[in-house]
Amino acid sequence: MPRPLRLAGIAASGGYTAGPLFHADRAVAGYVAKGSAQAEAEALRKAVAVAARAIDELIAASPGEAAAILEFQLAMLEDDALVGPALEAIQAGATAYEAWGAELDGEIAGYETADDEYFKARAADLRDIRQHVLSTLSGQVETVAPPGAILCADDIAPTLFLRTDWSKGGGIALARGSPASHVAMLARARGVPMVVGFGEKLAGAAGFALLDAEHGKIVLAPAEADLRDFRAASNAFDAAKARASDFLARSAVTADGTTIRVHVNIAEPAEVDAIDIDHCDGVGLMRTEFLFDATLPDEETQFRAYRKVLEWAKGKPVAIRTVDAGGDKPVAGYTVDEGNPFLGLRGIRLSLSRPEIFRVQIRALLRAAAHGNLKVMLPMVAIADEYRKASELFTEEADLLSRAGVDHGTPPLGIMIEVPAAAIAPDEFSEAAFFSIGSNDLTQYVMAAARDNGAVAALNAIGNPAVQRLIAGVVAYGDIGGIPVSLCGDAGGDPAAIPALLAAGLRDLSVAPAQLAAAKAAIAAVSLESVS
Ligand code: PEP
Ligand code: MG
């Protein structure tokens, strides 16, 4: 019997799952050589075409902007820059399997070592198409994990997540990865357990494993005692979830009767199709980075995306955030290559430095405002001048739309409080219509502990007194200055963080859709008298 091996990582999306490990990166064995260069070349062309068709079908079936991620893979498969050199290698004697594997390995290494963050982030997409074509060549239909398996890899692309059937459970265990990645956001929104940062040892693991994504752990070759502990913890988690589900359709009310508004965070418009508007108070944060993922979206594309969410919300408030590109969210052709991107040209700084791009988003937002209860918020604001400049651009574009006779609204303009400067001196922003605390960034900047670095994950703690004191200070200023304050960072959906957030005075939270019920249940357990 192999001895149990316990690895620790960083929880990226909560829950428990037990199942066989499935390595997405592992080369697929069993390729049968075709006997001639011509037959090998034909096999490669066919496999590439099959993979391209599968991605094409996935694009058609994927919700809105998720499709944009897949366009990159399709473009790479259709580009001769990959297939051409592989065909040359076949002429030089390689099999289709060897030629494609080697060509893609070289390409992936190039992307991984690129200075540009955008290219680095595309390496996972390339790994995905490498495997897709190799498994097609070997006669295997797909590289996706079977239902219920624990998907293991160095890192994975959002595409692989979207292709996987999560309806029967399963989870994700990554050697690297980050809780702040797009995949982690998708996993949280769908409630798929995910742990990142397990390190090299994960690569050699095989067989049955227990994934504890509540505490960021995995047990390989578990012993009887591990299974017992896991079952107890997992059953307690399921029971808490079942109890929480009773809360989903109810308003969020504390044990002593105070109503708390609970909104949802969404990353792309199609997400609202799976959410009942009656279960939440509106949208507290709609991120717009997904729209900007593959290319810069035009005004019409943005307008349609914003209008869809506003119409779904049936008059409830929808806070759409202007694009927060930069930092860990590079956008090709827009963000700049910087040594320290979290402290660089990101969010409102980047938008103001590229007004021609910002104005397109502003026009789309103003037009969408005619279709619902829109609020617009600006990310990464550090000084009042940024707010004023953005506000002027909104006024100018609204005037231009009025003069052109284009239907539009004038939504209230608020700011995210996520830069310590704004949290320390919120009175600098008395002109803002509202504040929304971005606890993810606020925590990383206050603690000087990057949100995507597993080595400092313990420091990146919302419960730290310095972070809590800043949040309470912003809420107190909001009360005095008559500025509504909400919180839209991930802490809002974390049952362990909720009592302290309510004690700090917050009465308005925004959470990932999968966390709605658990957040309401956690609120119901809080007695404000005892925590305040
Ligand atoms: C935050 O920083 O808390 C936030 C909500 O924004 P994002 O996670 O998109 O940076
Ligand atoms: Mg942020």
Side-chain angles (χ1 to χ4, degrees):
M1 272 292 278
R3 301 233 325 257
L5 176 63
R6 300 177 184 89
L7 302 179
I10 307 160
S13 170
Y16 291 84
T17 193
L21 297 178
F22 177 87
H23 285 271
D25 296 337
R26 203 162 278 174
V28 189
Y31 180 71
V32 181
K34 303 289 174 280
S36 75
Q38 197 190 347
E40 293 289 352
E42 202 175 307
L44 179 62
R45 280 206 199 88
K46 222 158 110 192
V48 168
V50 167
R53 209 166 42 242
I55 293 176
D56 214 15
E57 280 164 15
L58 199 61
I59 290 174
S62 289
E65 290 63 37
I69 305 164
L70 302 166
E71 307 275 4
F72 170 80
Q73 293 193 341
L74 190 59
M76 290 304 281
L77 279 176
E78 285 173 345
D79 187 348
D80 244 15
L82 286 183
V83 179
L87 289 174
E88 279 168 27
I90 288 173
Q91 291 311 321
T95 64
Y97 191 95
E98 291 160 349
W100 182 255
E103 172 56 23
L104 267 287
D105 282 345
E107 201 70 20
I108 290 164
Y111 272 68
E112 274 174 342
T113 52
D115 287 336
D116 186 323
E117 284 301 318
Y118 173 78
F119 285 106
K120 267 193 197 145
R122 297 277 78 84
D125 289 324
L126 283 175
R127 247 182 257 122
D128 202 28
I129 55 175
R130 176 187 187 278
Q131 281 311 105
H132 206 129
V133 172
L134 288 185
S135 33
T136 307
L137 277 170
S138 322
Q140 297 199 2
V141 191
E142 271 282 33
T143 52
V144 292
I150 298 172
L151 176 58
C152 295
D154 210 28
D155 197 358
I156 63 165
T159 46
L160 188 54
F161 181 92
L162 294 168
R163 280 217 310 273
T164 305
D165 174 7
W166 300 110
S167 64
K168 301 197 174 48
I172 302 170
L174 301 182
R176 293 192 294 156
S178 145
S181 68
H182 279 148
V183 174
M185 269 161 51
L186 290 171
R188 283 195 290 273
R190 293 270 286 272
V192 176
M194 171 171 170
V195 183
V196 301
F198 280 125
E200 300 305 316
K201 285 193 180 143
L202 189 69
F208 182 79
L210 307 172
L211 184 70
D212 170 357
E214 284 296 295
H215 304 96
K217 293 192 287 200
I218 194 164
V219 187
L220 310 159
E224 201 46 52
D226 294 309
L227 280 167
R228 249 193 335 266
D229 292 350
F230 181 85
R231 258 183 239 125
S234 159
N235 288 344
F237 178 82
D238 287 345
K241 215 161 128 187
R243 278 196 306 277
S245 71
D246 294 345
F247 287 86
L248 184 63
R250 300 191 214 153
S251 306
V253 184
T254 63
D256 39 5
T258 300
T259 299
I260 308 296
R261 281 175 300 278
V262 184
H263 300 78
V264 285
N265 290 349
I266 57 168
E268 53 175 312
E271 272 182 67
V272 298
D273 295 339
I275 308 168
D276 185 339
I277 183 62
D278 293 337
H279 293 173
C280 66
D281 290 295
V283 175
L285 164 65
M286 175 174 170
R287 294 179 166 96
T288 56
E289 292 78 67
F290 261 84
L291 280 168
F292 284 68
D293 193 72
T295 49
L296 297 177
D298 60 26
E299 184 180 321
E300 209 49 39
T301 305
Q302 294 192 51
F303 167 68
R304 278 200 304 273
Y306 306 151
R307 189 181 65 183
K308 175 184 165 81
V309 177
L310 285 160
E311 287 177 348
W312 163 83
K314 298 199 186 108
K316 288 187 177 176
V318 173
I320 301 184
R321 183 175 72 184
T322 61
V323 64
D324 182 22
D328 60 334
K329 294 175 273 198
V331 175
Y334 182 43
T335 49
V336 290
D337 193 13
E338 304 169 290
N340 202 345
F342 273 129
L343 300 182
L345 209 52
R346 90 170 257 217
I348 191 65
R349 306 166 182 188
L350 186 57
S351 291
L352 289 173
S353 77
R354 300 287 299 273
E356 75 287 2
I357 292 170
F358 196 22
R359 282 179 189 272
V360 175
Q361 183 166 39
I362 292 173
R363 278 197 298 277
L365 286 165
L366 292 171
R367 287 174 52 207
H371 298 268
N373 184 358
L374 176 66
K375 296 154 76 176
V376 174
M377 59 189 184
L378 308 171
M380 287 295 292
V381 174
I383 56 171
D385 200 41
E386 290 165 333
Y387 178 81
R388 276 183 213 123
K389 284 200 172 113
S391 182
E392 274 163 29
L393 290 176
F394 272 81
T395 307
E396 280 173 29
E397 287 302 327
D399 285 348
L400 289 170
L401 289 173
S402 295
R403 261 182 264 149
V406 178
D407 196 19
H408 67 282
T410 47
L413 190 61
I415 62 168
M416 300 272 300
I417 300 275
E418 53 185 349
V419 175
I424 293 166
D427 48 305
E428 284 289 302
F429 303 92
S430 57
E431 292 162 50
F434 61 90
F435 293 158
S436 182
I437 298 174
S439 50
N440 305 337
D441 277 312
L442 185 61
T443 307
Q444 78 159 343
Y445 292 129
V446 170
M447 301 307 297
R451 58 194 279 184
D452 63 350
N453 185 342
V456 292
L459 282 171
N460 191 301
I462 178 79
N464 183 279
V467 181
Q468 289 293 323
R469 226 173 275 173
L470 283 179
I471 292 174
V474 173
V475 176
Y477 173 73
D479 283 347
I480 300 164
I483 300 180
V485 181
S486 56
L487 180 139
C488 64
D490 280 9
D494 175 359
I498 284 174
L501 296 178
L502 299 186
L506 281 161
R507 299 291 179 264
D508 199 324
L509 304 174
S510 193
V511 310
Q515 263 124 36
L516 255 182
K520 288 184 181 182
I523 289 166
V526 174
S527 158
L528 287 175
E529 265 180 27
S530 59
V531 293
S532 302

